[in-house]
Amino acid sequence: MTIQTLVTLGVFAPLLGAAIAGLTGRRIGNVASQAITTGLLFFSCAVGWIVFSQHTWGHMPAFTVELLPFINVGDFQSAWSIRVDALSATMLIVVTTVSSLVHLYSWGYMAEDPDKPRFFAYLSLFTFAMLALVTAADFMQLFFGWEGVGLASYLLIGFWYKKPTASAAAIKAFVVNRVGDFGFVLGIMTLFWMFGTINFAELFPLIAAKAGTGWAFLGHTWSALDLAAFLLFIGAMGKSAQFFLHTWLPDAMEGPTPVSALIHAATMVTAGVYMVCLLSPIFEYAPVASQIVALTGAVTALFAATVGLAQNDIKRVIAYSTCSQLGYMFFAAGVGAYEAAMFHLFTHAFFKALLFLGAGSVIHGMHHEQDMRKMGGLWKLLPITYAVMMIGTIAITGLGIPGIGGLAGFYSKDIVIESAFAAAASNHSPMGLFAFFVGIFAAGLTAYYSWRLVFMTFHNKPVWKDEDHHEHAHDDHAAQPAQLETHDEPLADGAHPAHDDHAHDDHHHHGPLKPHESPWVMIAPLLILSVGAVFAGMVFEPFFTGHHENDFWRGAIFNAPDNHVLHDAHGVPTWVKWSPLILTLIGTAVAFWLYVIKEGMARRMAERGGVIHAFLYNKWYFDELYDAVFVKGAKALGDMFWKVGDVKIIDGGGPNGMAFLSRVFAGRLSKVQSGYVYHYAFVMLLGVAGFLAFAIYAWGA
């Protein structure tokens, strides 16, 4: 079997699993649905690693497999293809590795859910859409995958559709992404208008020749490539939850925790970063758009990190962490260090999926409690979960010693920050300098909120000892009315059984809460991801951003002749290399002081409130602002069109107005109808007299 055939099977295997589980799940049963979808995902994962290893160590050349025509309308030609190069090979292992482990993890986490075939079908459908996106050879297939992951995320976020907050979160994600997708479509149209093709292999060689093309509009000439790149980036802003279009991401935590790990850690939210790196030939000749990318990424990294300081829901803290880390990736791409952006995307997939699934293990062990203020002292009761969460936390904070090493996040985050400084130094880029200072400051904030999560969850006084188990049903799983096998009647709407062997006893027990470690089917994926969180940076740094970089990327990422940012990043001053570590240690020390040495101080500070805490806790009031401007504004506009335009003008001047006039005229005319015969005879006589007078006048004329 050729590598081309193998990768084709690997891409379509999740679609087959989704079709089987989705269409025949009730007939073949839960176990068969789970086994088929999970087995096919592990097959795709094996294919992904074979392709990646062949590319990395076997020097396999890039290739494109054209499968069948997709859309052919005039000059608009698109074929369904599978493109394999360094970028798609990297994304293949990211997507399939995380997705296969999430499938396996869900065997334990969703054990008591009554809709397992539907859940696993959605997971596999999402994975197929993501694979179609990352292997696209033209914009049409890229857009197909782009919208496919949007659909699947809507289905997964709203999986517990009878839970009002889950349905609202799914709709919010869908609507916000449509805003971004509108810009994305306009960007594709702009490029087709300029070049007459949407195929990447045909498009990219043509870009340099049209770098100075202008577009006259409103009395000003705009750079056409900057316009196209900016519109495409709007799509990335929506999909990757960047500033202004970020509001859907934290609410998406209403979906099951495995969904959070799959969609919001490693795959869908990184699609925007992948797209910008894939389109590096465009962004290299669109300097204004690139500056917008860098600015948006830096602001997002800062914004999300500040909001993460004040959140109490364990999943929301990690969600804002994701938002912040995506900002790092974008400002790296914005300053021209696309390789560094992809490296951070790669390592981030391992430690962020680890943190999300670790949080799911905590929620599972705490019988669905998500509020960190109701946890504490869990390190003895959940020792494996504690260990992997520590690994994930050290990785995401980028703890490591320059020149010696650290975990995965140390290598990728540092090269991102150093690239921003290099862009400022070599290209005299003020945006690079801004991104650098934001990057090191956000590193300190990341350390603070990450260790705050660990200390509140695992080290503080066990608050749960004073709580009763029945008080913990408002959680991540409180969703569908579910029916336990040992009961004849379903639980009340809004309840969901615990996902462990003792669910039937614990769920209705009103005694003290007893946290417990997760089953091995959930622990195993955590251990595998831990290996990636520890070694992914160390092993693959030479290939992504080090001395094997040119052999690895082999043209998959384009750097203009004057772009030496990544090369210059390796020669930045010593103080630049040590700055992230210093800020990380400061953030860690502050968290340790407030949550361990002075335990309870931070809680008292939060209870006293204050402007800053309220501002951060309420997420810079973006939801309230958008509600006032867009939601209520749209409602007011709709009311105006309805009550004034439709009711008063259209209906008033149209059917209602004519009906009114007809009614008035008929009312006046009806008074003529008296009912007396002599009245009618008199009128007839007048009529005859009038007729005779007209006849005499006519004859005389």
Side-chain angles (χ1 to χ4, degrees), residues 67 88 144 255 472 604 696:
L67 301 178
S88 57
F144 172 87
H472 298 268
R604 291 190 296 271
I696 292 171

Side-chain angles (χ1 to χ4, degrees), residues 339-537:
E339 299 88 348
M342 284 301 299
F343 187 32
H344 197 47
L345 183 158
F346 175 75
T347 61
H348 175 265
F350 292 101
F351 57 73
K352 187 51 63 67
L354 175 62
L355 287 171
F356 264 121
L357 295 184
S361 182
V362 172
I363 295 167
H364 178 273
M366 285 291 293
H367 301 274
H368 322 317
E369 182 57 71
Q370 291 180 215
D371 193 332
M372 297 186 298
R373 294 170 297 183
K374 297 181 180 180
M375 298 180 185
L378 296 178
W379 70 276
K380 290 183 179 178
L381 299 171
L382 284 69
I384 302 176
T385 300
Y386 172 64
V388 298
M389 288 289 280
M390 286 290 288
I391 292 173
T393 301
I394 295 172
I396 194 173
T397 56
L399 200 59
I401 301 175
I404 296 178
L407 271 59
F410 163 74
Y411 293 92
S412 58
K413 182 183 285 188
D414 277 24
I415 193 64
V416 164
I417 293 173
E418 290 160 11
S419 296
F421 182 86
S426 60
N427 300 335
H428 305 289
S429 166
M431 203 58 67
L433 194 63
F434 174 70
F436 167 71
F437 283 112
V438 166
I440 59 174
F441 182 63
L445 299 180
T446 301
Y448 176 83
Y449 67 66
S450 298
W451 287 109
R452 171 180 178 264
L453 183 151
V454 171
F455 296 147
M456 289 182 71
T457 304
F458 295 101
H459 288 282
N460 284 176
K461 177 187 174 184
V463 183
W464 47 268
K465 288 186 177 180
D466 302 324
E467 304 272 349
D468 283 343
H469 177 72
H470 70 283
E471 295 177 0
H472 298 268
H474 67 279
D475 58 283
D476 173 49
H477 301 288
Q480 297 287 90
Q483 186 169 353
L484 298 176
E485 295 177 358
T486 55
H487 295 271
D488 296 328
E489 297 180 359
L491 299 176
D493 193 5
H496 202 278
H499 292 174
D500 66 288
D501 296 335
H502 307 289
H504 309 316
D505 297 329
D506 288 347
H507 190 78
H508 298 287
H509 178 56
H510 289 189
L513 178 66
K514 298 177 181 178
H516 57 82
E517 189 60 275
S518 299
W520 277 103
V521 73
M522 293 171 62
I523 293 297
L526 294 176
L527 298 177
I528 296 171
L529 288 169
S530 297
V531 175
V534 173
F535 297 109

Side-chain angles (χ1 to χ4, degrees), residues 123-345:
L123 285 182
S124 291
L125 177 63
F126 172 87
T127 307
F128 165 70
M130 194 68 203
L131 292 176
L133 189 159
V134 301
T135 58
D138 62 34
F139 274 110
M140 199 65 241
Q141 186 180 326
L142 180 68
F143 187 70
F144 172 87
W146 198 266
E147 294 304 299
V149 293
L151 167 66
S153 68
Y154 170 80
L155 297 173
L156 286 165
I157 295 168
F159 177 73
W160 289 318
Y161 56 87
K162 291 187 179 179
K163 184 181 179 184
T165 51
S167 294
I171 293 171
K172 186 175 183 179
F174 200 79
V175 170
V176 172
N177 272 276
R178 296 294 72 72
V179 176
D181 292 351
F182 181 66
F184 189 54
V185 170
L186 291 177
I188 296 173
M189 291 178 180
T190 304
L191 287 175
F192 181 71
W193 165 71
M194 290 180 66
F195 298 99
T197 180
I198 58 169
N199 185 281
F200 299 145
E202 297 173 1
L203 173 67
F204 292 162
L206 303 175
I207 291 172
K210 291 197 175 184
T213 301
W215 179 57
F217 182 67
L218 296 178
H220 183 77
T221 301
W222 308 81
S223 167
L225 275 179
D226 275 308
L227 175 65
F230 171 67
L231 290 171
L232 291 167
F233 177 61
I234 292 176
M237 288 174 65
K239 199 67 70 185
S240 298
Q242 292 300 283
F243 199 64
F244 292 127
L245 296 181
H246 65 276
T247 53
W248 67 270
L249 184 65
D251 288 11
M253 298 302 105
E254 292 291 341
T257 299
V259 173
S260 304
L262 178 61
I263 295 180
H264 310 120
T267 52
M268 187 181 93
V269 293
T270 60
V273 180
Y274 164 79
M275 186 264 286
V276 171
C277 294
L278 172 67
L279 302 183
S280 55
I282 297 174
F283 281 91
E284 282 292 88
Y285 292 103
V288 176
S290 294
Q291 289 188 26
I292 294 173
V293 173
L295 176 63
T296 305
V299 172
T300 304
L302 179 62
F303 156 75
T306 59
V307 175
L309 304 176
Q311 303 305 305
N312 298 311
D313 185 305
I314 188 171
K315 285 174 64 179
R316 282 181 179 263
V317 173
I318 303 174
Y320 278 107
S321 169
T322 298
C323 200
S324 182
Q325 298 304 307
L326 289 166
Y328 274 94
M329 300 174 205
F330 274 112
F331 79 63
V335 299
Y338 308 100
E339 299 88 348
M342 284 301 299
F343 187 32
H344 197 47
L345 183 158

Side-chain angles (χ1 to χ4, degrees), residues 66-73 76-81 128 132 136-145 198:
E66 188 170 314
L67 301 178
L68 69 162
F70 190 11
I71 295 177
N72 295 327
V73 180
F76 194 89
Q77 303 288 318
S78 174
W80 191 278
S81 307
F128 165 70
D138 62 34
F139 274 110
M140 199 65 241
Q141 186 180 326
L142 180 68
F143 187 70
F144 172 87
I198 58 169

